[in-house]
Amino acid sequence: MAKQEDLFKNVVSHAKEYGFIFPSSEIYDGLSAVYDYAQNGAELKKNIREYWWKSMVQMNENIVGIDAAILMHPTTWKASGHVDAFNDPLIDNKDSKKRYRADVLIEDYAEKLNQKAQKEIEKAKARFGEAFNEQEFVTTNARVVEYKAKQREILERMARSLEKEDLADVKALIEELEIADPETGSRNWTDVKQFNLMFGTKLGASAENAMDLYLRPETAQGIFVNFLNVQKSGRLKIPFGIAQTGKAFRNEIVARQFIFRMREFEQMEMQFFVKPGEEMKWYEYWKTTRLNWHLSLGLGEKNYRFHDHEKLAHYANAAADIEFNFPFGFKELEGIHSRTDFDLKAHEEFSGRKLQYFDTDENKNYTPYVVETSVGLDRMFLAVFATSLKEETLEDGSTRTVLQLPSVLAPTKAAILPLVKKDGLPDVAKEIIEDLKWEFNVSYDEKDAVGRRYRRQDALGTPFCITVDHQTLEDQTVTIRHRDSMKQDRVKISELKDIINREVSMKHWLMKM
């Protein structure tokens, strides 16, 4: 646990030191759970967004993108259920005065049981080697069976209690499991209470005439209210999808773990409209497709797992999370939900407008069912950044800090380095930049010895360093250094575009799906 905490501290520190993420309004002591993306962070975030958009919209003929407004008519949120049901169960510790999400405390306890089971499995793997049958071991080993059964029992009871809004039983479960305040160890808890997460605001020139609005807590409703406009203007036939990226806002009382849980965050969502009765087929399709998208980035298959929901949202008939192994354990990265026809029917009821699809093949109207994929862009950023940050010991015994970002996402694709700041080498370096910058984000670096510049670019995640030296003046060749292997090759300046493009192009990476 201490090692994980140290890793997480390094992630936060590196993000600030190298211009990826700053605390918001830091000169005024900051604002809790609000962060600014700095010069390199903005580029990395943009690249993740574009990688998602390319795969989701551009590579699918039946998926289009929109950009709906953050402010929406307040009845939108009544229809969607957010006004009445968008709550978190919170519990306070009387001694530490700290506030926690009750469900997260229980889920973290259950995850520890899962980790204990996993340790038993890993020990058995090491003991039996190739002869190890994991499936048989999981179903027959007494300890593993006990841990798994206890975990399942706890999560199922919590889900039932939250479904019935039996908050007294949620507290009782916390007390029975002897769950303590993570910071102080105190078990002196208050009752569990529900807290609505929406931010209120006002629209109008004067306080007397202002309309009460909400900052949107999710981007999905902007898609649903535009369903018919998009379908008719695009002449789209079912099945089809509408995708969107954008900011959402939640008044997270328990916001922690850096950018994992923030009050202002960005989502990348797609709502896929299908015939009623076909939703489970498409639900399974998108589970597989979305996991493959994540795996294409090469962050390690072992870092992902599916978690099926015990407690379903009021709009869903099936739901699963793709969880990622963050420095603080497995947590939700993306949700795939079968939302039924709840949203379109609810907006039809509250608006009085018909929101149905006329199926020319069947010659009838019906309300489509919806399968949703929703990934947090900030969480995706954290997953990529934290997994890529590494400390390496080199052959000579020295160490280097390297940010091994997937090169397709790297903020800067290549740094151009003149060996010295004289003899015309900077001029040649800048000519190379002028040529490459039309296709790639590149930078110029002439400060310090070239070895220190290599280390600086390693820490920034730059896949290539291109060094201009005196031989360049003679034969128009440069040294290109590869970040991960540190291998150096002598190549012609005219070959640089092709070399870089082979490594950083979206096509190269998305073809892995």
Side-chain angles (χ1 to χ4, degrees), residues 155 283-284 287 306-312 319-321 323:
L155 293 175
Y283 171 72
E284 294 298 331
K287 280 177 65 177
F306 277 111
H307 168 70
D308 293 319
H309 285 212
E310 301 287 345
K311 175 183 180 289
L312 294 176
D321 294 334
E323 294 185 333

Side-chain angles (χ1 to χ4, degrees), residues 35-225:
Y35 291 90
D36 297 333
Y37 284 85
Q39 65 274 24
N40 293 310
E43 286 290 334
L44 175 55
K45 189 179 184 185
K46 173 183 69 69
N47 292 345
I48 295 172
R49 187 190 300 112
E50 289 179 352
Y51 191 70
W52 180 89
W53 191 269
K54 171 79 78 172
S55 68
M56 186 63 77
V57 179
Q58 192 167 337
M59 303 307 294
N60 289 286
E61 292 183 10
N62 61 341
I63 299 177
V64 297
I66 67 168
D67 184 7
I70 288 172
L71 298 178
M72 303 179 70
H73 193 282
T75 309
T76 302
W77 306 111
K78 185 70 177 174
S80 68
H82 283 82
V83 171
D84 299 320
F86 193 57
N87 306 304
D88 272 349
L90 302 182
I91 190 168
D92 293 342
N93 187 277
K94 296 177 183 177
D95 296 327
S96 70
K97 311 302 181 189
K98 297 284 186 180
R99 178 167 286 178
Y100 299 92
R101 272 182 55 175
D103 56 334
V104 171
L105 288 175
I106 296 169
E107 286 169 356
D108 286 348
Y109 182 94
E111 176 58 23
K112 288 176 184 175
L113 294 172
N114 181 61
Q115 290 172 0
K116 287 181 179 179
Q118 202 59 41
K119 280 184 181 177
E120 296 294 329
I121 295 169
E122 295 300 325
K123 282 193 291 184
K125 269 185 187 175
R127 190 163 67 246
F128 295 111
E130 292 183 5
F132 180 64
N133 185 327
E134 183 170 340
Q135 187 174 3
E136 181 182 339
F137 184 80
V138 168
T139 56
T140 58
N141 180 270
R143 284 186 178 178
V144 173
V145 169
E146 181 184 353
Y147 288 141
K148 293 282 188 181
K150 183 67 174 175
Q151 179 194 25
R152 187 164 54 251
E153 176 190 334
I154 289 168
L155 293 175
E156 287 176 354
R157 177 175 165 185
M158 180 185 73
R160 288 194 303 270
S161 299
L162 290 173
E163 189 75 40
K164 297 184 293 184
E165 296 193 16
D166 186 354
L167 301 182
D169 189 60
V170 175
K171 182 189 180 184
L173 180 57
I174 289 173
E175 291 177 333
E176 289 170 28
L177 297 174
E178 297 184 341
I179 294 175
D181 182 324
E183 295 190 22
T184 65
S186 168
R187 297 192 180 95
N188 190 9
W189 297 108
T190 65
D191 291 338
V192 179
K193 296 180 180 178
Q194 293 283 25
F195 179 82
N196 193 281
L197 301 178
M198 285 199 293
F199 277 113
T201 187
K202 291 187 178 290
L203 177 69
S206 64
E208 297 81 17
N209 300 318
M211 175 187 286
D212 290 321
L213 298 182
Y214 298 102
L215 298 180
R216 66 182 180 191
E218 66 174 25
T219 58
Q221 299 306 320
I223 292 175
F224 295 129
V225 300

Side-chain angles (χ1 to χ4, degrees), residues 227-228 231-232 348 354-358 365-368:
F227 160 73
L228 212 53
Q231 188 272 317
K232 287 185 174 179
E348 189 173 72
K354 190 174 181 180
L355 295 176
Q356 295 186 356
Y357 172 77
F358 180 72
N365 285 303
Y366 56 77
T367 304

Side-chain angles (χ1 to χ4, degrees), residues 473-485:
L473 302 177
E474 299 172 9
D475 61 11
Q476 292 294 293
T477 65
V478 291
T479 299
I480 186 165
R481 175 186 179 271
H482 302 259
R483 178 196 65 203
D484 297 344
S485 66

Side-chain angles (χ1 to χ4, degrees), residues 291-308:
L291 180 59
N292 287 340
W293 180 85
H294 288 283
L295 293 175
S296 73
L297 289 168
L299 301 182
E301 191 170 353
K302 69 181 186 304
N303 286 322
Y304 300 90
R305 71 184 187 191
F306 277 111
H307 168 70
D308 293 319

